[in-house]
């Protein structure tokens, strides 16, 4: 069965490239942190390096939010390493500071519902998993549509705000903006201000 929001994230153990080495990564070992788990179709392609580099560049912002980033594709860990060792000017990645996980068996992609069975590649899935291992947000894009790292950060911030204050975050909410108490009185107060805009 595919993953669902509000349900436990499917656990996995797989080989990843970390700091230029091959290491085993277990999703459940990240409990106590949020995890942004994202999938890309294939190494050495076109949109994929732009996303991986964007997540890598934003990694300090995720880290300061107690959030780990893990990337997954159906390529081997050898291919991941070769891609990191290819200069960016030639479509490579350079050094990547988060684990690049190999899903050669397609089991991880299948368990998250992003595998294109006929094509043997993963769609651009992104999953926000909370500190307890529960999926709180998911987004799946078709192959030509790159994702927004800013939106992934916004979702992490919205989850943290809800967990801290118990208030829900309306459309396009950003830190510092008004949120809403999820009850009739709180909603009335929010919409009373919102309706004046």
């Amino acid at each position: 069965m595919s993953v669902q929001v509000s349900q436990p994230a499917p656990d996995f153990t797989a080989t990843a490239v970390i700091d230029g080495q091959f290491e085993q990564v277990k999703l459940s070992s990240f409990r106590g942190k949020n995890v942004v788990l994202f999938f890309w179709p294939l190494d050495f392609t076109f949109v994929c390096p732009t996303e991986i580099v964007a997540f890598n560049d934003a990694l300090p912002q995720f880290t300061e939010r107690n959030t780990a980033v893990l990337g997954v594709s159906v390529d081997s860990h050898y291919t991941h390493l070769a891609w990191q060792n290819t200069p960016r000017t030639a479509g490579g990645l350079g050094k990547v500071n988060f684990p690049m996980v190999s899903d050669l068996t397609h089991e991880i992609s299948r368990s998250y519902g992003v595998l294109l069975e006929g094509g043997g590649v993963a769609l651009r899935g992104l999953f926000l998993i909370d500190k307890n291992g529960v999926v709180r947000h998911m987004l799946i894009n078709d192959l030509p549509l790159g994702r927004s790292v800013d939106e992934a950060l916004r979702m992490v911030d919205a989850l943290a705000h809800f967990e801290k204050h118990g208030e829900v975050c309306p459309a396009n909410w950003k830190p510092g903006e008004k949120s809403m108490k999820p009850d009739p009185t709180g909603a009335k107060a929010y919409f009373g201000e919102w309706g004046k805009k």
Side-chain angles (χ1 to χ4, degrees):
M1 180 176 171
S2 292
V3 68
Q4 291 184 321
V5 170
S6 80
Q7 298 300 310
D11 199 10
F12 61 82
T13 301
T15 304
V17 176
I18 303 173
D19 294 326
Q21 301 297 318
F22 301 145
E23 296 183 25
Q24 291 292 297
V25 170
K26 186 173 179 67
L27 178 63
S28 56
S29 70
F30 291 90
R31 292 277 166 87
K33 290 185 175 189
N34 295 321
V35 175
V36 170
L37 175 69
F38 76 100
F39 294 80
W40 67 89
L42 284 173
D43 293 358
F44 290 99
T45 53
F46 314 111
V47 176
C48 300
T50 67
E51 293 186 310
I52 294 165
V53 168
F55 275 104
N56 192 62
D57 289 349
L59 192 59
Q61 295 175 73
F62 286 103
T63 301
E64 67 189 26
R65 290 164 168 83
N66 193 35
T67 301
V69 174
L70 301 177
V72 182
S73 83
V74 298
D75 300 276
S76 74
H77 47 287
Y78 300 105
T79 307
H80 288 343
L81 183 60
W83 202 17
Q84 286 190 27
N85 289 332
T86 302
R88 287 185 181 180
T89 55
L93 300 174
K95 182 169 174 24
V96 173
N97 297 311
F98 59 80
M100 290 178 65
V101 179
S102 171
D103 183 25
L104 269 177
T105 64
H106 299 177
E107 289 177 22
I108 304 169
S109 301
R110 189 173 287 116
S111 69
Y112 279 83
V114 297
L115 183 67
L116 285 175
E117 293 286 352
V121 299
L123 293 166
R124 297 183 193 285
L126 183 144
F127 301 85
L128 173 56
I129 302 164
D130 73 12
K131 299 173 189 80
N132 299 311
V134 174
V135 177
R136 303 302 294 269
H137 165 72
M138 61 187 275
L139 171 77
I140 301 173
N141 288 3
D142 201 353
L143 301 178
L145 307 175
R147 289 159 286 199
S148 167
V149 174
D150 289 341
E151 177 63 7
L153 284 164
R154 190 183 79 83
M155 286 289 100
V156 172
D157 288 338
L159 177 58
H161 183 84
F162 170 73
E163 289 174 340
K164 182 175 182 179
H165 301 286
E167 295 184 353
V168 295
C169 301
N172 299 320
W173 176 91
K174 292 182 182 137
E177 294 181 356
K178 288 191 182 279
S179 54
M180 183 188 324
K181 291 187 173 145
D183 59 48
T185 303
K188 185 176 180 181
Y190 176 84
F191 289 123
E193 290 296 314
W194 181 65
K196 294 177 185 176
K197 291 182 183 181

